[in-house]
Amino acid sequence: MEWFYDNNGQQAGPVSREEILRLIMQRQIKPETLVWTSEFGETWRPASAAGLVSPLTGLLRMSSGSAEHWAWVLLVGPWLIQRLTLLILVWRQIPERDRMGPFSIVAMMSLFLFFISFMLDRNSIRESGKTPPGFWWWLFLPGYFWKRRQIVGRGMSLLIVSFVLLAVNVTEKIYQLPQIEKELQMQHEQTGQPASSPPTNSGQENQQEDL
C-alpha cells in the first residue's frame, strides 16, 4: 500500500507503510500531519486518525490494521467470568437460593467489561482508518464479528468462536427448560393451595347438646 504525506505544504510520496512509520519515528511526521492512502478516497487524514499514531498516547502504531485483543476480551471475558463464578459457587456448595446476590454483582461486572471492551474495540478499528460496525450490533455479537471481519479483512476465529458460544448458550437454555418448567409448576401449585383453616368445635358442641 502506498502512502502520501504533507511536507510543509507540499505533497510527498508515494512511500511504503514501513517508510512512513520510519518518518514518524524520526518525528518528520507528527500526529497532526496529513496523510493519504487509496483507502481514504478523496480525504486526507491526520496520522493520528489514520491508524499510524494513537490519538490517546501519541505513540506509534506498528501493526497494520486493528488489533484483536479487545475483541477477544469482548467475546470471552464476560462469558468466562460468569462460568468461573458458577464453578466457585458449586465448589463451595452454595445453595441456589443464596446465589442471587453473588450473581447480581458478577452480572454487573460482566456488563461493565462487555461495554468497555466493545467501545475500545470499535475505537481500535476507527484508529486503523476504518469505520467500525454500528453501535447496536452489541445486541447480536455474531453479527458484530461478521461485520467486523468484512471491515478489517480478518477475524474468522472471532466469528467462529462467537457462533460456538451462541450455540452453547442456546443449548444450555434448552437443557434447563424442563427444570424451569418444573419449578414454575411447583410455585403455581403452592400458590394455588387454599389456606388451612382451624378445626371446628362441632364435636364439642354436639357433646354439650347430648348432656
Side-chain angles (χ1 to χ4, degrees):
M1 180 185 299
E2 295 182 335
W3 288 79
F4 296 83
Y5 63 96
D6 178 70
N7 185 15
N8 296 324
Q10 299 293 325
Q11 177 179 309
V15 296
S16 64
R17 182 180 176 85
E18 290 73 19
E19 176 65 16
I20 204 167
L21 292 177
R22 184 185 66 81
L23 293 172
I24 293 174
M25 294 179 66
Q26 294 177 353
R27 304 294 183 180
Q28 296 184 36
I29 294 180
K30 300 178 180 180
E32 65 272 14
T33 301
L34 294 176
V35 297
W36 182 88
T37 187
S38 58
E39 291 185 353
F40 296 170
E42 299 181 357
T43 305
W44 286 63
R45 301 180 182 179
S48 60
L52 299 173
V53 180
S54 173
L56 301 178
T57 63
L59 298 177
L60 186 68
R61 295 177 60 88
M62 297 301 295
S63 60
S64 59
S66 58
E68 292 186 351
H69 51 275
W70 286 116
W72 282 107
V73 174
L74 166 66
L75 180 59
V76 302
W79 190 85
L80 284 177
I81 289 175
Q82 295 179 13
R83 291 304 184 279
L84 288 174
T85 302
L86 180 59
L87 288 176
I88 292 173
L89 293 176
V90 172
W91 174 67
R92 296 188 61 183
Q93 298 181 350
I94 304 297
E96 292 189 7
R97 63 178 180 274
D98 297 331
R99 297 178 185 178
M100 184 62 65
F103 265 130
S104 299
I105 298 174
V106 171
M108 292 297 296
M109 293 173 57
S110 300
L111 189 64
F112 179 77
L113 176 63
F114 178 90
F115 278 105
I116 288 295
S117 55
F118 179 74
M119 299 304 296
L120 289 174
D121 184 60
R122 295 181 76 244
N123 185 67
S124 174
I125 297 173
R126 192 177 293 109
E127 286 184 357
S128 69
K130 299 178 176 64
T131 303
F135 175 80
W136 292 106
W137 278 112
W138 70 268
L139 294 169
F140 184 62
L141 279 186
Y144 172 79
F145 289 113
W146 172 67
K147 292 289 294 183
R148 188 185 191 280
R149 182 174 181 273
Q150 286 185 329
I151 293 170
V152 303
R154 56 195 177 94
M156 177 59 74
S157 299
L158 288 164
L159 180 60
I160 293 174
V161 173
S162 68
F163 276 108
V164 170
L165 292 181
L166 177 64
V168 170
N169 292 333
V170 172
T171 303
E172 286 183 348
K173 295 302 181 183
I174 294 175
Y175 179 77
Q176 293 172 356
L177 276 179
Q179 181 65 24
I180 295 174
E181 291 178 353
K182 183 178 179 180
E183 292 178 356
L184 291 175
Q185 184 177 2
M186 291 178 61
Q187 292 178 0
H188 179 71
E189 291 176 353
Q190 290 176 357
T191 56
Q193 290 179 352
S196 58
S197 57
T200 61
N201 295 326
S202 58
Q204 295 179 359
E205 294 176 354
N206 293 335
Q207 291 179 358
Q208 292 176 357
E209 290 178 356
D210 293 340
L211 292 175

